[in-house]
Amino acid sequence: MSMMDKLKGMLKGHEAQAGQGIDKTGDFVDGRTQGKHSGQVDTAQDKLREQFGTNPDQDKPPTPPS
């Protein structure tokens, strides 16, 4: 069993808290780097949300094109 599988198992049922932790950590890193790496931080947050199934946008219906 890989480390990622173990983490996913531990977070099962606690997706909201994991999402909050990802957001809080990203905000902390942005603050410490004074926003110099915000693009990379945002990408990392998105990848973590995909891995752990904590993407808040996945429950929203797609937006119709303008």
Side-chain angles (χ1 to χ4, degrees), residues 40-66:
Q40 290 89 343
V41 171
D42 291 343
T43 301
Q45 286 176 309
D46 292 341
K47 298 277 184 187
L48 285 170
R49 284 189 195 100
E50 286 175 17
Q51 283 290 322
F52 296 124
T54 59
N55 191 354
D57 296 332
Q58 75 190 57
D59 295 332
K60 293 181 183 177
T63 310
S66 319

Side-chain angles (χ1 to χ4, degrees), residues 3-51:
M3 179 62 97
M4 198 57 126
D5 292 334
K6 289 180 183 180
L7 286 171
K8 286 180 184 179
M10 289 171 34
L11 293 174
K12 190 82 171 170
H14 302 284
E15 289 84 4
Q17 290 87 353
Q20 290 173 349
I22 291 168
D23 290 338
K24 193 171 185 179
T25 303
D27 293 343
F28 174 77
V29 172
D30 270 341
R32 294 291 290 189
T33 61
Q34 299 170 344
K36 292 178 186 173
H37 306 286
S38 62
Q40 290 89 343
V41 171
D42 291 343
T43 301
Q45 286 176 309
D46 292 341
K47 298 277 184 187
L48 285 170
R49 284 189 195 100
E50 286 175 17
Q51 283 290 322

